[in-house]
Amino acid sequence: QWDEATGLVPIFCLAGAFAATSNLSLQAVLAVGRIDLLTRAELTVQPLRALLIVAVALVFESLLACAVAFLIVFVLAVPFLYRIKDQCIPTDYPTLKSGLLASFKLALLTLLAPPVLVLVVPQQEVILGIAAHLTAAAVLSGLSWLGGLFQINHPLQNDPLLQRALKWLPHKA
C-alpha cells in the first residue's frame, strides 16, 4: 500500500529541508517574549497551509499535487518567518547564507556516496545482499559526511560534542 507514496518522499524531504532553515525562528520569537508575533505568524501560515493543500486536493485530486502544495507552502513560509523574527531579533543574513551554503555542499557530498556505490557494486536480489548494500551505503554516507565537514570547513567541525567524539578515533600524534 505504501509503494504509491514512495515518489512523494523526495518532495516531502525537500519541504523539510526548506523548513529546517527557519524552524527555530518562531521559538526564538517566543523566547524573547513576543507572543504577539508568534501568534500572528501561526495565524497566517497555518490557515494558508491548510487552505492551499485542501484546495489543491479538491481541484487536482492527486497526492502528487498535494505534496507539491505542501512544498510550496514551506518554501514561501521561510522568508515570512524570517521577517517576523527580524522584528525582534535581527538576522545576520551574510552569516546565514554562508552557513546554509556550507550545509548544502555538505549534504550534496554526503548524498553522492550511495549512488556511486550502486553504480560501482552490482546489487544482489538476495535479502542479505540488499542489507549489506544498504549498510555499506549508510557507512559511506556517514564517512563522507564526516570527511566533508573538514573538507569544506563546515562550522559543525568545531562542535564540542563532535570534537570529544573524534578524540576517541585513532590518529597520528
Side-chain angles (χ1 to χ4, degrees), residues 130-154:
I130 293 171
H133 227 74
L134 186 58
T135 302
V139 168
L140 280 174
S141 293
L143 290 174
S144 64
W145 176 83
L146 186 59
L149 281 177
F150 297 97
Q151 183 180 11
I152 64 169
N153 201 24
H154 194 280

Side-chain angles (χ1 to χ4, degrees), residues 59-161:
V59 171
F60 294 101
E61 297 180 4
S62 159
L63 288 175
L64 177 61
C66 290
V68 170
F70 185 81
L71 171 62
I72 290 168
V73 168
F74 276 90
V75 169
L76 295 177
V78 171
F80 175 73
L81 294 176
Y82 273 104
R83 186 166 170 227
I84 292 287
K85 185 188 80 60
D86 283 341
Q87 292 178 36
C88 60
I89 304 170
T91 302
D92 180 358
Y93 285 101
T95 301
L96 176 65
K97 180 182 172 186
S98 69
L100 290 175
L101 185 59
S103 292
F104 180 73
K105 289 177 186 176
L106 182 60
L108 283 180
L109 185 62
T110 302
L111 293 173
L112 283 177
V116 168
L117 177 69
V118 168
L119 291 173
V120 173
V121 180
Q123 186 173 355
Q124 304 296 320
E125 289 301 320
V126 181
I127 295 295
L128 184 59
I130 293 171
H133 227 74
L134 186 58
T135 302
V139 168
L140 280 174
S141 293
L143 290 174
S144 64
W145 176 83
L146 186 59
L149 281 177
F150 297 97
Q151 183 180 11
I152 64 169
N153 201 24
H154 194 280
L156 274 179
Q157 72 181 348
N158 300 319
D159 181 74
L161 183 61

